[in-house]
Amino acid sequence: MSRPTPETMAHRSAPPGTAARVEPAATRTRVVVDEPMTGAASLVRSLEALGVEVVFGIPGGAILPAYDPLFDSSVRHILVRHEQGAGHAATGYAQATGKVGVCMATSGPGATNLVTPIADAYMDSVGIVAITGQVSRSAIGTDAFQEADIAGITVPITKHNYLVQSGEDLPRVLAEAFHLAGTGRPGPVLVDVPKDVLQALTRFTWPPTLDLPGYRPTMHPHGKQIREAAKLIVTARRPVLYVGGGVLRAGASAQLRQLAELTGIPVVTTLMARGAFPDSHAQHLGMPGMHGTVSAVYALQKSDLLITLGARFDDRVTGKLDSFAPNAAIIHADIDPAEIGKNRAADVPIVGDAKFVIEELIAAVVAEHSAGHRGDLTEWWRSLSELLERYPLGWEEPPDGTLAPQYVIKRIGELSQVPDGPPTLFVAGVGQHQMWASQFISYENPGTWLNSGGLGTMGYAVPAAMGAKVGRPDATVWAIDGDGCFQMTNQELATCALEGIPIKVAVINNGNLGMVRQWQTLFYNERYSNTDLGTHKHRVPDFVKLAEALGCIGLRCENADDVDKTIEAAMAINDVPVVVDFVVGKDAMVWPMVAAGTSNDEILFARDVRPAFEEDEL
């Protein structure tokens, strides 16, 4: 995937209700410490000066010098059980707060264990800084013990990375790393520090002068492009606001709602944009894509104008690309110029921060309305309203009497979002449970849905929920996980138990790798090769006993009559983590579905059920 250099990125503010990202170090009061200190002490002092609240990590030989000054620091360190957990926790923290998340690991395997969460953050545009130890400079390139070229390894999956060569560079490098991670299109930045740099004496000076030549991000869009976009908007007969995660990253949800209500245009929110526009709003058609609503998918297919805001025409949304929205003109606004035209040519390309783009679009559309130019969307809404009524999301009860996973997830969403109570964040793993959580929980506010979208990382949910809860201790945090995903990173529950991080985990236990089994059912003649996990047949592991062994409360629910009281019991536990083993049917499927590589026109509402949608309806 093509990505821009740091020089093409632009500043973004934090989402509404969250703390602002760290300001550039150069704007802070200058502090010079004359006495010598080690590079390790300088690193920790830099983190303090940057306002870092928490670091998720594990010590080891090469990074160990940094852990000594960290012992006395105001920065909280959370000792995770696996470096992958540290990376996902940093991501969850960043997604929940709008701040830059921080993780730390030693050289070699410690650093390479961060590769997956770094790639995950890169794909989903999440600002994290990963600090890794490295072997001493004299040993680099000698295949020394626990040596790995982590800077080289992560070049394709970081926004930028550094191999620090001098202790004097540490304050500047860290200040640059945080600035790059949290501005423009956010993303991961890696800082690799050799052990001898951490041990050697240096001097700490703050703030440093940032050295980012050419880093002049585009925040405000070009006025001509905005005016052209507004003209298309007011003349379109079948427009759609196609909203991606960039709107959330820009904190532009309020502006999006204002634009939608001004124009009356229907809105679809991608998997990464759930919560950017209220699910309850009359103009919301739902989520588009492979498992999107029929109304959202067909709105895109039959549109004559897509107003694409912070989305990237991902294959999971477009289906077969050359058949996607064949008659639509394209307005494409994105902070990242490399995304515009990458997958679909744009008729009106707009580079800029989504918040400013939408604000300026609003002003331009108001001007068009004042001039008497206003589109008539009556027929468009008639067609879409019929689709919404004809094809609502739902499920069939399992014929064998087992518990329906969709019902479990729907009730978690309904019972955990208490009016006038604390906010609830939902953090999903990857697979069927992720899709059901995106479909059957109502998201009314930004920042309430966290998931691994672009990389689709199994094992994301538990550590990301941990990071989210650390960043938002006021919130109720539910991890919606599958029995496959849960077994990849559940050891972080020990971290949660010992560190006082009371997350709630719903394990949707269907005994299988559910999404893979669904594909085997549909495309591999029900040949279930290596998808049975044994969590049903043999109860290995027993998730209740496992939760208790990890210092948590374990609950189990196996029938519909017990769902509500089990969720309520979990909701009443707020001092320790709680894990609920929801034993559900193994054959439930995610519908609607567009099979990979096929056109969105071939969407199935249920197995062998194509929606009845006539061309002349539009």
Side-chain angles (χ1 to χ4, degrees):
M1 184 177 78
S2 61
R3 290 290 281 260
T5 63
E7 287 72 23
T8 64
M9 303 298 179
H11 175 73
R12 291 188 187 276
S13 59
T18 66
R21 291 188 176 90
V22 63
E23 64 186 83
T27 67
R28 294 176 178 267
T29 303
R30 188 169 183 81
V31 177
V32 180
V33 179
D34 290 327
E35 69 271 17
M37 64 176 65
T38 64
S42 178
L43 185 153
V44 173
R45 285 292 298 272
S46 297
L47 294 178
E48 292 170 346
L50 286 160
V52 172
E53 298 169 332
V54 62
V55 173
F56 302 91
I58 302 178
I63 196 65
L64 192 58
Y67 272 79
D68 186 64
L70 196 57
F71 186 76
D72 301 313
S73 173
S74 61
V75 177
R76 180 185 182 187
H77 181 274
I78 292 179
L79 177 63
V80 298
R81 297 311 185 257
H82 191 285
E83 289 88 357
Q84 183 177 351
H88 290 318
T91 295
Y93 175 90
Q95 289 175 310
T97 66
K99 303 174 186 178
V100 173
V102 187
C103 55
M104 188 179 291
T106 196
S107 63
T112 58
N113 281 342
L114 286 176
V115 168
T116 294
I118 288 172
D120 183 271
Y122 182 77
M123 289 288 281
D124 287 347
S125 303
V126 181
I128 66 171
V129 171
I131 300 167
T132 54
Q134 184 54 274
V135 300
S136 295
R137 287 171 293 179
S138 61
I140 291 175
T142 69
D143 292 333
F145 177 68
Q146 291 192 331
E147 181 188 0
D149 178 12
I150 193 63
I153 289 168
T154 60
V155 163
I157 56 169
T158 51
K159 186 173 173 181
H160 195 57
N161 67 33
Y162 297 86
L163 174 60
V164 180
Q165 298 290 343
S166 166
E168 284 72 25
D169 292 336
L170 276 166
R172 174 186 59 81
V173 165
L174 286 164
E176 290 177 3
F178 276 76
H179 183 61
L180 290 169
T183 59
R185 180 178 184 170
V189 178
L190 178 117
V191 178
D192 196 31
V193 191
K195 185 173 184 178
D196 62 319
V197 172
L198 292 172
Q199 292 172 320
L201 292 178
T202 184
R203 292 182 181 277
F204 174 79
T205 303
W206 195 268
T209 299
L210 304 190
D211 183 19
L212 295 170
Y215 188 68
R216 298 182 180 89
T218 302
M219 293 178 68
H220 290 274
H222 195 287
K224 179 177 181 294
Q225 301 301 91
I226 292 292
R227 291 191 294 274
E228 290 298 317
K231 290 176 183 177
L232 288 179
I233 288 170
V234 298
T235 56
R237 294 177 55 244
R238 300 188 300 276
V240 178
L241 282 160
Y242 164 26
V243 177
V247 169
L248 287 175
R249 296 288 179 265
S253 296
Q255 289 79 6
L256 170 65
R257 181 166 184 165
Q258 186 179 353
L259 176 64
E261 292 177 346
L262 171 68
T263 60
I265 294 173
V267 179
V268 302
T269 52
T270 67
L271 181 68
M272 293 306 300
R274 304 291 286 115
F277 193 77
D279 278 356
S280 61
H281 198 287
Q283 287 173 241
H284 194 214
L285 301 180
M287 182 177 74
M290 176 175 279
H291 296 295
T293 64
V294 170
S295 54
V297 170
Y298 270 97
L300 293 178
Q301 287 300 97
K302 304 303 178 183
S303 64
D304 63 1
L305 176 66
L306 295 186
I307 304 107
T308 308
L309 304 170
R312 56 188 179 89
F313 294 90
D314 176 74
D315 63 285
R316 284 302 192 257
V317 169
T318 66
K320 188 178 179 183
L321 186 60
D322 60 11
S323 67
F324 176 70
N327 299 313
I330 304 295
I331 298 167
H332 192 180
D334 203 283
I335 190 71
D336 183 351
E339 288 296 343
I340 297 175
K342 186 182 78 177
N343 292 328
R344 176 69 179 261
D347 296 279
V348 181
I350 303 173
V351 179
D353 182 277
K355 180 180 288 186
F356 294 110
V357 168
I358 298 172
E359 286 176 349
E360 295 184 34
L361 273 176
I362 290 168
V365 169
V366 167
E368 290 288 337
H369 287 178
S370 298
H373 306 144
R374 187 186 294 266
D376 183 359
L377 305 184
T378 304
E379 286 302 306
W380 182 223
W381 269 113
R382 179 189 62 79
S383 298
L384 295 175
S385 297
E386 289 176 3
L387 282 173
L388 282 165
E389 184 176 350
R390 196 186 309 166
Y391 300 107
L393 287 171
W395 67 87
E396 294 181 358
E397 290 296 325
D400 59 0
T402 53
L403 184 57
Q406 301 96 325
Y407 176 71
V408 170
I409 291 170
K410 186 173 188 291
R411 293 304 290 157
I412 291 172
E414 290 169 345
L415 293 176
S416 62
Q417 300 188 77
V418 182
D420 301 320
T424 303
L425 311 185
F426 299 94
V427 186
V430 170
Q432 288 181 313
H433 61 281
Q434 175 192 27
M435 295 298 103
W436 290 321
S438 70
Q439 291 175 332
F440 294 110
I441 295 175
S442 179
Y443 300 98
E444 298 298 309
N445 298 298
T448 53
W449 164 250
L450 284 63
N451 83 126
S452 170
L455 197 64
T457 307
M458 292 179 67
Y460 164 91
V462 170
M466 174 174 68
K469 182 65 175 176
V470 170
R472 295 286 305 279
D474 61 311
T476 299
V477 178
W478 273 96
I480 311 292
D481 220 356
D483 46 333
C485 289
F486 182 65
Q487 292 185 76
M488 293 192 173
T489 52
N490 62 46
Q491 68 272 12
E492 298 309 334
L493 286 171
T495 306
C496 292
L498 292 171
E499 292 282 347
I501 307 168
I503 65 171
K504 305 180 193 303
V505 182
V507 181
I508 309 302
N509 178 6
N510 64 4
N512 287 270
L513 298 171
M515 189 63 85
V516 183
R517 180 183 171 89
Q518 175 167 332
W519 282 49
Q520 289 173 332
T521 299
L522 296 175
F523 309 120
Y524 291 89
N525 299 316
E526 300 183 7
R527 290 165 55 83
Y528 299 118
S529 174
N530 292 285
T531 45
D532 187 337
L533 291 168
T535 53
H536 272 196
K537 189 185 303 181
H538 305 291
R539 197 161 280 178
V540 177
D542 183 316
F543 290 131
V544 172
K545 292 179 180 178
L546 179 62
E548 292 170 350
L550 292 168
C552 307
I553 301 296
L555 305 173
R556 178 173 287 119
C557 179
E558 300 186 71
N559 61 76
D561 291 340
D562 294 335
V563 167
D564 282 15
K565 66 182 180 182
T566 305
I567 295 169
E568 288 165 356
M571 289 294 295
I573 300 168
N574 293 305
D575 54 345
V576 294
V578 58
V579 176
V580 186
D581 179 16
F582 287 101
V583 182
V584 301
K586 64 182 179 180
D587 290 317
M589 292 197 190
V590 182
W591 301 111
M593 180 178 181
V594 178
T598 66
S599 169
N600 283 349
D601 292 326
E602 299 176 51
I603 187 172
L604 293 174
F605 183 61
R607 191 170 186 179
D608 302 322
V609 178
R610 284 278 303 279
F613 187 87
E614 302 298 332
E615 288 290 336
D616 60 7
E617 289 186 40
L618 295 179

